[in-house]
Amino acid sequence: MKERYDVVVVGAGPAGSTCARFAAARGASVLVLEKDRDVGMPVRCGEAVSNRSLEKIVDIDPRWIAATIKRFRLISPSGHVVEPDLGGYGYVLERRIFDYDLARLAVEAGAELHTKSYVDGLLPRNPEPGTTTDMSSEEKETSSAAKDRSDDSSGWRGVSLQWKGEPRTVEARIIVGADGVESRVGKWAGIDTTTHMRDMETCAQMTLSNVDLEEDACEFYFGNDTAPMGYLWVFPKGRGMANVGVGISGMASKQKAAIRYLQEFVERRYPGAGVLTTVAGGVPCATTVDTLVKGNIVLVGDAAHQVNPMSGGGITSGMIGGKLAGEAIARALEKNDLSLLNEYPKQWRKEVGAKHDTYYRMKAAVYKFPDETLDDIAVNVLKLREDKRTIWGVFKTALRHQPALVWEMMKTFGLRPSA
Amino acid sequence: MLLIEIKPNTCDFCGCCVGVCPEDAIELQEAHISIIEERCTNCAKCVWVCPFEVLVFNKPEKAGARERTV
């Protein structure tokens, strides 16, 4: 590890690795720091992506694909099954291979990567006596004001870290927070990255073997007893294996934790299954953080709340964030002008962010539907002509009492009212 | 006084609690978690979101009586 780099990326998930790849490919010296001993492990994810969004951002390697998904099955609380037409297909990934490969691509592009590297603070540019890298309560109070001056050039000199247990520092011109749901790099820089309780989907996930399921269908279960303010998923992974998990809102988790919902479901539905992994996770299902760039700090992926707030899917959207950030970083370094970093938030908003805002409003609308309403939606969708049973058909039915939102949805996603 | 306790050997180190902590009061490494007592306000958001019920809120009258085992 050198003393100084153009860019330090904190976190080697899909967003961090993609950002590193795009910045390094254009000549930036990039260091990626991963706190865990192994990139991509443990897998805290449902692992499902749509083929189109993944193809846009990376050349797909067949080794990443555990299963190809042709069908979506949405299961209402009393068991009505709706199979909307996907208008495409999806993949269930093998993320322990996928994340590894994205990190490899970053390194092949010229980035340097270290695991067991725990970043524990930012280095102030002009350290004054008594100054710490962590926010004082005084700073916290002014952090909303700080949002408005994201182009201030005071910036940070680098990061402090524990590398293989030893403290050290690394200097960097640009620091990327790709540190996932924790998002502490942003907090240290005075950006409000705290996820509200209602928006935090708290998750428990298992990898099961010896399960009897359809190998080309992703199942989503809804209902207050199964997954309040969230959903439970069963995604096939080939050879009788499945990624099964549940995500519920932090508000619901107050009464009963995610792991309990998952255990109950698995005991009921797959009593003979082998449990290969049991992991916890948290997904920030919010709109994108207000400040993606502040001085020389850049946020990407879960750390920037770039998850689709409706589905909770964040792999490809985080990678788009990483790519846009990586390109903006390369340009800013080439022109020696940090203000060019601000192209990234603009591009993000145009390509993804505005859509996520609409998804968020849709989520807020359907979020607290009681079980009867969910069953009612399923029954009404099943009354639609088969060719109208699309994902949009489902949403239109769900939101039929909110025409303004349906209209916004159509506008945002470029759909004609007849779609 | 810290009222939140981490049950030993139950944490999966997922970071969910860190994400909702408004005070940046949780230190989370690969396989180590601790609460920074000076910053914690006992708001208990971390307790509520934990997927594995690793964090526990000890009501004040009980808290004085027991030893914290973080």
Side-chain angles (χ1 to χ4, degrees):
Chain A
M1 198 182 293
K2 294 184 293 184
E3 302 281 314
R4 201 179 153 70
Y5 295 82
D6 290 331
V7 188
V8 166
V9 179
V10 182
S17 287
T18 303
C19 179
R21 168 160 68 105
F22 279 91
R26 284 173 53 174
S29 69
V30 181
L31 173 69
V32 185
L33 298 170
E34 167 56 47
K35 78 175 183 341
D36 291 353
R37 75 182 71 130
D38 208 344
V39 170
M41 288 277 282
V43 177
R44 302 187 193 278
C45 184
E47 304 180 288
V49 292
S50 89
N51 68 309
R52 273 176 302 197
S53 52
L54 190 62
E55 277 162 11
K56 258 189 236 167
I57 187 108
V58 68
D59 295 328
I60 297 171
D61 186 318
R63 292 179 309 122
W64 303 341
I65 314 295
T68 302
I69 300 306
K70 304 272 171 54
R71 293 180 300 141
F72 258 30
R73 292 161 57 83
L74 311 177
I75 298 131
S76 81
S78 31
H80 301 288
V81 180
V82 174
E83 269 197 36
D85 181 3
L86 284 181
Y89 55 99
Y91 299 120
V92 178
L93 296 174
E94 202 62 77
R95 272 202 61 186
R96 50 185 74 207
I97 302 172
F98 179 72
D99 284 32
Y100 237 69
D101 258 5
L102 297 184
R104 176 179 60 79
L105 290 172
V107 171
E108 282 176 6
E112 183 179 332
L113 186 146
H114 292 277
T115 56
K116 288 186 92 68
S117 305
Y118 179 66
V119 173
D120 56 10
L122 299 176
L123 306 172
R125 204 175 286 289
N126 297 304
E128 287 160 24
T131 307
T132 65
T133 58
D134 307 315
M135 272 201 299
S136 69
S137 53
E138 193 188 333
E139 272 177 288
K140 235 175 251 166
E141 279 158 23
T142 58
S143 67
S144 56
K147 276 180 200 165
D148 302 328
R149 34 184 182 87
S150 56
D151 60 346
D152 86 5
S153 54
S154 59
W156 302 87
R157 191 161 53 85
V159 300
S160 63
L161 66 145
Q162 294 166 45
W163 187 39
K164 298 171 181 167
E166 296 291 320
R168 63 167 294 158
T169 60
V170 178
E171 296 197 355
R173 295 171 70 189
I174 295 167
I175 299 157
V176 179
D179 51 337
V181 62
E182 293 104 307
S183 198
R184 294 184 75 197
V185 171
K187 284 178 199 177
W188 295 331
I191 303 170
D192 182 10
T193 62
T194 304
T195 304
H196 192 284
M197 288 261 297
R198 71 169 172 262
D199 293 334
M200 180 62 84
E201 287 288 312
T202 142
C203 303
Q205 180 230 316
M206 292 180 182
T207 310
L208 301 183
S209 65
N210 195 29
V211 292
D212 182 22
L213 79 180
E214 294 168 76
E215 300 283 2
D216 67 344
C218 275
E219 295 187 332
F220 301 80
Y221 291 80
F222 299 90
N224 203 43
D225 294 337
T226 313
M229 299 187 231
Y231 62 84
L232 183 146
W233 71 84
V234 178
F235 296 167
K237 293 203 69 176
R239 290 175 294 181
M241 297 208 292
N243 180 323
V244 181
V246 66
I248 62 176
S249 162
M251 300 308 276
S253 165
K254 269 167 128 171
Q255 278 79 45
K256 181 172 157 183
I259 186 68
R260 293 183 186 265
Y261 289 96
L262 183 60
Q263 279 164 345
E264 285 169 13
F265 178 85
V266 169
E267 276 163 26
R268 193 172 68 236
R269 187 80 167 73
Y270 301 114
V275 181
L276 304 188
T277 60
T278 305
V279 295
V283 185
C285 290
T287 53
T288 311
V289 296
D290 291 341
T291 309
L292 288 175
V293 173
K294 185 181 177 193
N296 63 340
I297 304 287
V298 178
L299 302 182
V300 297
D302 283 15
H305 301 177
Q306 288 176 333
V307 175
N308 175 334
M310 185 83 211
S311 68
I315 301 171
T316 52
S317 53
M319 289 171 71
I320 292 170
K323 173 177 183 270
L324 296 175
E327 289 171 343
I329 288 167
R331 275 195 302 273
L333 290 168
E334 281 161 12
K335 305 275 183 203
N336 199 22
D337 179 3
L338 282 191
S339 73
L340 293 175
L341 292 176
N342 292 310
E343 285 304 305
Y344 158 52
K346 282 183 207 153
Q347 280 296 322
W348 165 261
R349 170 129 203 101
K350 203 168 117 192
E351 289 190 26
V352 188
K355 291 192 183 87
H356 280 190
D357 288 358
T358 299
Y359 277 128
Y360 186 79
R361 281 192 283 279
M362 288 161 68
K363 174 186 102 159
V366 300
Y367 205 51
K368 287 178 182 169
F369 280 169
D371 284 2
E372 307 78 66
T373 310
L374 294 171
D375 281 322
D376 190 47
I377 293 164
V379 168
N380 279 305
V381 170
L382 289 169
K383 282 183 197 158
L384 294 174
R385 250 178 32 211
E386 215 160 303
D387 62 325
K388 298 269 185 195
R389 280 181 221 163
T390 60
I391 286 288
W392 299 112
V394 173
F395 281 131
K396 269 170 70 183
T397 309
L399 299 170
R400 67 191 184 285
H401 298 304
Q402 301 182 49
L405 192 53
V406 173
W407 179 241
E408 176 188 328
M409 192 173 97
M410 296 292 175
K411 228 168 48 181
T412 310
F413 297 98
L415 298 163
R416 281 184 301 277
S418 61
Chain B
M1 181 173 51
L2 190 59
L3 303 177
I4 292 161
E5 180 186 332
I6 300 170
K7 281 191 273 176
N9 306 319
T10 51
C11 181
D12 194 43
F13 314 104
C14 74
C16 198
C17 54
V18 182
V20 296
C21 178
E23 310 297 333
D24 190 32
I26 303 172
E27 197 70 45
L28 177 76
Q29 300 186 28
E30 180 176 28
H32 180 78
I33 183 168
S34 56
I35 296 173
I36 305 165
E37 191 163 351
E38 307 78 64
R39 292 191 207 160
C40 178
T41 60
N42 295 308
C43 74
K45 285 178 177 153
C46 55
V47 176
W48 294 328
V49 298
C50 178
F52 281 7
E53 300 176 340
V54 168
L55 296 128
V56 202
F57 187 79
N58 293 313
K59 288 201 178 103
E61 62 271 19
K62 286 183 194 162
R66 59 194 299 181
E67 190 72 13
R68 216 162 41 80
T69 51
V70 175

